[in-house]
Amino acid sequence: MAYLRQGMLAIAAMLAAAISVGAASPQPCVQDTFGGEAYIVCTVEKEGDLRLFWKNADGEPYRDFSSVAEAVRNKGQTLAFAVNAGMYLPDFSPIGLYVEDGQELRPVNRTERDGAASGPVPNFYKKPNGVFFIDGAATGILPTQEFLKRRSEVRFATQSGPMLVIGNKLNPIFIVGSTDRTRRGGVGICADGAVRFAVSEDRVNFHDFARLFRDHLSCPNALFLDGGRGVGLYSPALGRNDKSWHGGFGPMFGLVE
């Protein structure tokens, strides 16, 4: 009986350890809902290894998540999830500022569009646009003009637009009940210090998408990344490996483990 009791205790200990390990390593991407709309939300904790990826070792754009995952795997690591990191040109190059591993590969885009003569203003140029950056242990999102005043070196940065949430306030250009609805992707720096990415599964307008970050995810600053068929997500745990409809993505965010 003593041996049986010891064996049962050993099994119980192993089960407890397994549960503990599982609890300590939650999946970064989960399904969520807000305002009756479906989203995928991916969280990077403060200690997470979040990076930007654009070109491979041969100097060619990765273009798809699988290529980034393979490059990470060849270095003995795992790509936990990835999303596209903002708008890009037909050659898959970033429209605005892009910094990777401390190297500025594209400068800040200072172009302004008023839409008076040339039709609707493209999303990137809607005011204010902004910059997501990682600077040592600090991660932030600032309107582009404020980022330029900061004038410090960063390890990673990408410029996109428009800003969704600025200092816990919604961007005032957004219209309540707007019929401009499409799939959208964005990123926020949240009250607990985590970085949260959100990809809508349904069509949403800018106002509702910004409210997701401020009112549901508790992110006082958030930036729009891309929309429509340009939205992409890679999450092995959720069985997602989205493909771009026009041949590839430009820069991509990836959480490396």
Side-chain angles (χ1 to χ4, degrees), residues 25-33 39-45 50 65 79-84 186 195-199 201 217 232-242 253-257:
S25 304
Q27 294 298 334
C29 297
V30 297
Q31 296 175 330
D32 202 350
T33 59
Y39 297 92
I40 302 296
V41 176
C42 300
T43 299
V44 181
E45 303 295 348
L50 180 64
F65 298 125
L79 185 66
F81 81 86
V83 297
N84 59 328
V195 178
R196 290 191 171 89
F197 295 87
V199 172
E201 297 287 76
L217 302 179
L233 169 69
Y234 172 85
S235 172
L238 296 179
R240 290 284 291 270
N241 187 4
D242 297 351
F253 281 109
L255 175 62
V256 177
E257 295 180 340

Side-chain angles (χ1 to χ4, degrees), residues 62-85:
Y62 283 107
R63 296 176 53 171
D64 58 57
F65 298 125
S66 295
S67 297
V68 175
E70 181 180 4
V72 170
R73 188 166 52 249
N74 288 341
K75 294 184 178 181
Q77 296 173 300
T78 300
L79 185 66
F81 81 86
V83 297
N84 59 328

